[in-house]
Amino acid sequence: MQRSVLREKVIEEIGQIPERKLSEVYTVLHFFRLGIETAKRQPQDIMRFAGCWQDMPDQEFQEFLHEIQERRQHAFSGRIARETIIS
């Protein structure tokens, strides 16, 4: 089905919806469109960081890993054991 034909069919269907329900349809369409835009943008945002540690000297990278481990231990140290167990 051609794009313009499908768009026309969607518009026709919207035209059949009672006025009092249009706000609900708008909300669905609006969030659907935002989701599509976010999905398009997300891989590009993630890929900006691909390989960013590639040129880091080994010593600096090891210090970085150690710092991450310490921060995680500190962040989870106040939790009760049952909060961190995956069942």
Side-chain angles (χ1 to χ4, degrees):
M1 191 174 300
Q2 289 182 357
R3 214 170 163 188
S4 59
V5 172
L6 190 54
R7 185 178 301 272
E8 288 299 319
K9 286 187 173 229
V10 170
I11 292 169
E12 284 177 29
E13 288 295 328
I14 291 171
Q16 300 293 321
I17 296 172
E19 194 74 29
R20 67 182 190 286
K21 295 290 187 176
L22 284 178
S23 65
E24 294 174 39
V25 173
Y26 172 78
T27 301
V28 170
L29 290 174
H30 178 71
F31 284 108
F32 183 79
R33 182 184 56 80
L34 290 179
I36 291 170
E37 289 176 4
T38 301
K40 286 180 185 176
R41 207 173 37 239
Q42 204 169 22
Q44 295 169 352
D45 291 345
I46 292 169
M47 291 307 292
R48 288 186 308 152
F49 297 105
C52 66
W53 297 305
Q54 185 174 345
D55 297 331
M56 187 182 287
D58 288 340
Q59 178 64 29
E60 194 174 329
F61 184 69
Q62 291 304 316
E63 291 171 6
F64 173 70
L65 290 178
H66 182 70
E67 183 179 341
I68 289 175
Q69 185 178 17
E70 285 181 350
R71 287 181 182 212
R72 287 182 180 170
Q73 286 174 349
H74 178 69
F76 292 102
S77 65
R79 289 191 164 188
I80 301 170
R82 65 180 158 72
E83 293 180 322
T84 59
I85 297 173
I86 299 173
S87 28

